[in-house]
Amino acid sequence: MMTRHTTKPGARDEVAAKSGEAQSGNGQAAAEHAGHAVQQGVAASLTALETVEAQIAALARKTVADTLGIGGGAAAGLTAVIEQVVRGALAASEHVGTGLTMSVRGVSKGIVAGVHDVGGDIVLASFDTMRALIMAGAALGADLGTIARQAIAGILDAVGETGGDAGRIGARAAEGAISAAGDISNMAVGTVREVLVGITGASHAGGAGLPQPGRHGQGGTARH
């Protein structure tokens, strides 16, 4: 004779509760695993991006130094080299679709460091680099605020490594950015000025202390 065993309601509830707890625990473990996987992936990606930026900076530095040679070249030669290096770097980034952020910061750092390596005028180089980057960025339809922010960050990175008057170099870089923006549009001036006010620590929200558009110059020589 077969005996039927029944589970009391209270026992069934207890089993169901334990099952729910197990599923909940598995779900929490899966969520934590997903978070850990994303964390590792993002960290690896950011490390790779930093490596690419460093490689761009190193390439720009060597190219500029090799091209200019000891003495840094005359001002006209320096300007031409910087313009071509900037155009090449941004065109390559646009072509492969990686965005301009890494290229702008890397190439600006590399240019100033390369000019320093051959004893060139890094104050003038900072002006020319910012001007070239703003002009090239505008031609590609890039956000000029981002270009200005990343470019001056790269320049200050280089100054931090090679030494120099960061205040003077940063101010001259700001002049280069405003100079280029003034050749583009009033809107470009406003965009670049807004970024530079925060970075250069201008004393007033209106940008007191920043250069005015139209006062273009290289090495003290006016551009027209």
Side-chain angles (χ1 to χ4, degrees):
M1 181 177 179
M2 297 179 62
T3 303
R4 177 180 293 179
H5 297 282
T6 60
T7 304
K8 295 181 179 180
R12 286 199 300 268
D13 293 342
E14 183 178 350
V15 170
K18 289 181 178 179
S19 176
E21 288 175 1
Q23 292 177 357
S24 176
N26 290 337
Q28 180 64 27
E32 290 177 356
H33 176 74
H36 183 64
V38 170
Q39 179 182 348
Q40 288 185 316
V42 170
S45 297
L46 291 176
T47 300
L49 292 178
E50 290 175 358
T51 300
V52 171
E53 182 179 296
Q55 290 173 341
I56 292 171
L59 175 61
R61 182 173 189 167
K62 184 178 187 305
T63 301
V64 168
D66 289 349
T67 304
L68 293 176
I70 300 301
L78 173 62
T79 300
V81 169
I82 288 175
E83 288 178 349
Q84 291 303 316
V85 169
V86 164
R87 289 177 186 174
L90 268 60
S93 296
E94 184 75 3
H95 178 70
V96 300
T98 57
L100 300 179
T101 300
M102 286 185 300
S103 292
V104 169
R105 185 161 185 161
V107 78
S108 61
K109 177 179 179 179
I111 288 172
V112 172
V115 172
H116 171 272
D117 289 346
V118 294
D121 185 347
I122 60 174
V123 177
L124 174 58
S126 68
F127 177 98
D128 285 337
T129 299
M130 285 292 285
R131 180 173 171 82
L133 283 166
I134 293 294
M135 295 300 290
L140 293 173
D143 179 75
L144 296 185
T146 300
I147 295 290
R149 183 179 296 108
Q150 294 300 321
I152 203 164
I155 289 171
L156 294 178
D157 283 347
V159 174
E161 290 185 7
T162 62
D165 187 339
R168 184 183 175 207
I169 293 169
R172 195 69 173 121
E175 290 178 16
I178 295 295
S179 167
D183 287 349
I184 299 167
S185 69
N186 289 334
M187 182 178 294
V189 172
T191 298
V192 171
R193 180 178 291 275
E194 184 177 355
V195 170
L196 294 177
V197 165
I199 294 176
T200 62
S203 57
H204 302 292
L210 289 180
Q212 298 299 317
R215 297 179 183 175
H216 307 332
Q218 285 197 30
T221 303
R223 271 190 177 183
H224 300 288

